[in-house]
Structures are given as structure tokens and as C-alpha cells.
């Protein structure tokens, strides 16, 4: 039987990407809850509501029960079904389209592919992102101010009815901005790290290689994207007071954060945010493993080749 790698259909790329993102979400959703609560804590104040990630977990579980760590998981799954399906599928489609005859592609071009995939994924996934932010942050509000969405479908319907259909794309600009930064660093850097590791001949294209490449890419993506993520989170969770929104745009949200809470508030919640990189790490690992399984059991491809990132 030939060991030459067989091409994967473009449609399968999207399905595999979505499946990888959803699987990682079930494992990492509690981290997302903690991150969002810490980013929304004590807005406008220098005194933090939570001293650390562990303090946040203890407070959430103590006040709302263990199940609160999985509140909004339906929105998390829906987000991955839209956002990750689109970004991973588009990224691999573009990489395959631009790569040279020998399968190589330059890092700047990979970065462009990552940014483009981020834009597409962010636009498609913003409604789910709005719901996810609101559902995971709801428990910190006084009972009379909570939105109390039952699930992602209820949230989508209520937001459309109560605030207008376009409200589902609240914060789409900062969401796209964050996605461009994240995917330009995460996907392109992962591909580059993986390529360099394989060139050393010290590791094979296996889970060990994928783990180290995703760890490095995840750390860089966190440093560069957290300030944008802070602004995005606050814009999507803001309320309109006397007909005036709390923030004008992403830059205004960042400037108000620095003015009221200090410069390093732009990296508030870094620990859970970096821990949330576990989602990206697992997503990339699952993507590799799912792709290998697809090649082996569906395409009968014995080459052992992974995602092709």
C-alpha cells in the first residue's frame, strides 16, 4: 500500500477543526468562566474582587455551586462550532493554496493566512462569543440584574428581540482585532515551531512535537492578545446607561481600563488566560490526532501525516 500522504477534502478540514475545538471546550470551559469573571471583576476600581485564579474558583463555587463552572457551556460549544470550524478550515485551505510545490510556505505568508482565518472565524463566531461572555459573567451580578439565559438558543432569541438582531454582533470589531492577533500568532507560530522541531530530527510528527509547538505558540498568543481580549470582553458585556454605551470602541475601553485601574490591568486575569491556552493546546493536539485518524480510517492513508499545519 502506498505511503504517500493523500489530500484531505476541504470540507473535512472544517469538520475536523470544529470537532477539535468542541472537544477541547468540554475540558476547558471552567477556565473560560474564571477568566471572564476576573476580567469583569471590580471594573473601574483598582481593588480586585478576586486575588487570584484559585480565589476566583473558590468564590464562584462557594457562592453558586460547582455547576457554575460549566454555566454557559452550550454557548462555548456553539462558539467552537462556528469560530473554530471556520478559522481552522480557512487557515488550512489558505495554507494549502499558497504553499510551494514542495509543500513549504513562508512565515509571513502563514501569518497572513492566520490573520485572514481569524477575521472569517471572528465574524461568524461573534454571536456565540457575545452569549458566552454574558452567560459566564452573569453569576457575578446582583440577582435583579442577571439576564438568566436558559441556554445558548434562549440567549440568541432574547438578544435579538430585546436589543435587535445586530446586537448579536456587539463588539465584532474588537473580536476581529483579537482574532487577527491570536490566529496570526497561534496558528502561524505553531506551524513554524512544529516545522523547526521536525527539522532538528530530534522528534517525529507525534503528540510530543505537537505539545511543545502548541505550548510555545500559546504563550506568545496570550501575551500579544490579552489587552485586546480585555477590551472585547468589556464591550460585549457593557450596558447602555441613559442611551449611552459605557465604551465608544475598543481603544476607548482600553484607555478607560488603564486610566481607572492602571496599565497592568490590561493583563488582568493573565493566569487563567494563559491556562486557557490549554484549550488551544488541546485543540491543536486533537486536530492533529483527528486528522491522523481520518487519514488512516477514512482515506486508508498509512503515511502517518497529521494536519499539515
Amino acid at each position: 500500500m502506498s505511503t504517500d500522504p493523500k489530500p484531505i477534502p476541504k470540507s473535512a478540514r472544517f469538520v475536523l477543526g470544529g470537532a477539535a475545538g468542541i472537544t477541547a471546550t468540554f475540558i476547558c470551559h471552567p477556565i473560560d468562566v474564571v477568566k471572564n469573571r476576573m476580567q469583569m471583576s471590580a471594573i473601574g476600581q483598582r481593588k480586585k474582587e478576586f486575588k487570584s485564579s484559585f480565589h476566583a474558583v473558590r468564590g464562584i463555587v462557594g457562592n453558586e455551586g460547582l455547576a457554575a463552572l460549566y454555566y454557559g457551556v452550550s454557548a462555548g460549544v456553539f462558539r467552537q462550532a462556528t469560530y473554530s470550524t471556520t478559522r481552522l478550515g480557512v487557515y488550512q485551505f489558505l495554507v494549502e493554496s499558497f504553499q510551494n510545490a514542495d509543500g513549504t510556505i513562508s512565515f509571513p505568508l502563514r501569518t497572513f493566512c492566520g490573520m485572514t482565518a481569524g477575521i472569517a472565524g471572528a465574524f461568524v463566531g461573534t454571536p456565540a462569543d457575545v452569549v458566552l461572555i454574558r452567560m459566564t459573567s452573569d453569576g457575578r451580578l446582583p440577582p435583579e440584574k442577571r439576564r438568566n439565559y436558559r441556554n445558548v438558543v434562549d440567549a440568541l432569541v432574547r438578544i435579538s428581540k430585546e436589543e435587535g438582531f445586530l446586537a448579536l454582533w456587539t463588539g465584532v470589531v474588537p473580536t476581529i482585532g483579537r482574532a487577527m492577533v491570536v490566529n496570526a500568532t497561534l496558528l502561524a507560530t505553531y506551524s513554524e515551531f512544529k516545522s523547526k522541531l521536525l527539522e532538528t530530527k530530534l522528534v517525529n510528527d507525534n503528540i510530543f512535537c505537537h505539545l511543545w509547538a502548541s505550548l510555545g505558540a500559546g504563550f506568545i498568543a496570550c501575551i500579544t492578545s490579552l489587552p485586546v481580549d480585555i477590551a472585547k470582553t468589556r464591550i460585549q458585556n457593557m450596558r447602555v446607561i441613559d442611551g449611552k454605551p459605557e465604551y465608544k470602541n475598543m481603544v476607548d475601553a482600553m484607555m478607560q481600563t488603564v486610566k481607572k485601574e492602571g496599565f497592568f490591568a490590561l493583563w488582568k486575569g493573565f493566569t487563567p488566560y494563559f491556562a486557557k491556552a490549554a484549550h488551544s493546546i488541546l485543540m491543536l493536539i486533537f486536530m492533529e490526532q483527528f486528522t491522523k485518524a481520518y487519514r488512516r480510517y477514512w482515506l486508508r492513508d498509512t503515511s502517518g501525516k497529521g494536519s499539515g499545519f
Side-chain angles (χ1 to χ4, degrees), residues 161-239:
K161 287 184 177 180
E162 297 169 8
E163 304 172 47
F165 182 71
L166 292 181
L168 291 172
W169 276 268
T170 298
V172 66
V173 173
T175 300
I176 287 176
R178 174 189 176 277
M180 289 173 65
V181 174
V182 168
N183 288 284
T185 51
L186 179 68
L187 299 181
T189 305
Y190 173 79
S191 299
E192 191 70 11
F193 282 170
K194 178 184 171 184
S195 175
K196 297 302 181 185
L197 283 170
L198 293 175
E199 285 179 10
T200 66
K201 305 296 184 181
L202 297 175
V203 295
N204 296 318
D205 189 357
N206 55 28
I207 196 168
F208 181 76
C209 172
H210 306 155
L211 175 61
W212 281 108
S214 57
L215 275 171
F219 183 76
I220 293 174
C222 285
I223 295 232
T224 55
S225 66
L226 183 52
V228 183
D229 189 69
I230 293 262
K232 176 191 73 71
T233 298
R234 294 190 174 191
I235 287 174
Q236 290 182 325
N237 201 53
M238 70 180 177
R239 290 184 176 276

Side-chain angles (χ1 to χ4, degrees), residues 91 98 105-116 184 188-189 192:
Y91 177 71
F98 288 125
I105 182 172
S106 67
F107 182 72
L109 201 49
R110 282 191 186 277
T111 302
F112 170 77
C113 292
M115 291 177 65
T116 305
T189 305
E192 191 70 11

Side-chain angles (χ1 to χ4, degrees), residues 5-301:
K6 298 181 179 180
I8 294 179
K10 300 296 189 295
S11 58
R13 293 288 194 186
F14 286 85
V15 174
L16 291 167
I22 290 171
T23 304
T25 289
F26 279 113
I27 299 173
C28 299
H29 186 74
I31 297 174
D32 213 22
V33 172
V34 174
K35 174 189 74 73
N36 288 339
R37 293 292 185 89
M38 290 188 73
Q39 289 184 350
M40 294 304 300
S41 69
I43 293 180
Q45 304 175 26
R46 291 184 181 270
K47 184 179 179 181
K48 296 180 180 179
E49 180 180 351
F50 301 119
K51 298 177 182 178
S52 65
S53 303
F54 297 106
H55 182 222
V57 171
R58 193 163 59 246
I60 294 170
V61 173
N63 295 327
E64 305 167 52
L66 188 63
L69 293 175
Y70 271 91
Y71 186 58
V73 68
S74 61
V77 170
F78 181 57
R79 181 175 183 270
Q80 295 304 317
T82 52
Y83 174 57
S84 284
T85 296
T86 303
R87 65 166 170 161
L88 291 177
V90 169
Y91 177 71
Q92 293 190 95
F93 173 81
L94 290 175
V95 167
E96 290 179 356
S97 300
F98 288 125
Q99 66 187 9
N100 301 317
D102 60 357
T104 60
I105 182 172
S106 67
F107 182 72
L109 201 49
R110 282 191 186 277
T111 302
F112 170 77
C113 292
M115 291 177 65
T116 305
I119 293 171
F123 183 79
V124 173
T126 291
D129 204 35
V130 170
V131 174
L132 177 63
I133 294 295
R134 292 187 177 190
M135 291 185 74
T136 55
S137 301
D138 211 37
R140 65 175 295 273
L141 298 173
E144 67 276 8
K145 293 185 178 181
R146 294 177 184 174
R147 296 180 174 96
N148 294 317
Y149 300 133
R150 293 193 301 272
N151 50 53
V152 64
V153 175
D154 178 54
L156 292 169
V157 172
R158 282 182 51 190
I159 292 172
S160 297
K161 287 184 177 180
E162 297 169 8
E163 304 172 47
F165 182 71
L166 292 181
L168 291 172
W169 276 268
T170 298
V172 66
V173 173
T175 300
I176 287 176
R178 174 189 176 277
M180 289 173 65
V181 174
V182 168
N183 288 284
T185 51
L186 179 68
L187 299 181
T189 305
Y190 173 79
S191 299
E192 191 70 11
F193 282 170
K194 178 184 171 184
S195 175
K196 297 302 181 185
L197 283 170
L198 293 175
E199 285 179 10
T200 66
K201 305 296 184 181
L202 297 175
V203 295
N204 296 318
D205 189 357
N206 55 28
I207 196 168
F208 181 76
C209 172
H210 306 155
L211 175 61
W212 281 108
S214 57
L215 275 171
F219 183 76
I220 293 174
C222 285
I223 295 232
T224 55
S225 66
L226 183 52
V228 183
D229 189 69
I230 293 262
K232 176 191 73 71
T233 298
R234 294 190 174 191
I235 287 174
Q236 290 182 325
N237 201 53
M238 70 180 177
R239 290 184 176 276
V240 177
I241 303 173
D242 297 326
K244 184 179 179 181
E246 291 181 72
Y247 308 111
K248 298 176 183 178
N249 48 48
M250 182 173 64
V251 174
D252 182 51
M254 295 174 71
M255 291 180 65
Q256 285 196 46
T257 299
V258 171
K259 182 178 180 181
K260 296 176 181 178
E261 304 167 50
F263 178 71
F264 289 103
L266 292 175
W267 283 271
K268 179 183 287 185
F270 180 82
T271 301
Y273 190 69
F274 181 59
K276 190 178 180 291
H279 182 282
S280 298
I281 292 168
L282 289 173
M283 179 190 70
L284 291 169
I285 290 174
F286 284 136
M287 182 71 180
E288 297 278 9
Q289 298 306 309
F290 289 170
T291 304
K292 283 187 176 183
Y294 179 82
R295 287 184 185 278
R296 181 172 183 178
Y297 297 109
W298 189 264
L299 299 180
R300 303 298 180 185
D301 179 354

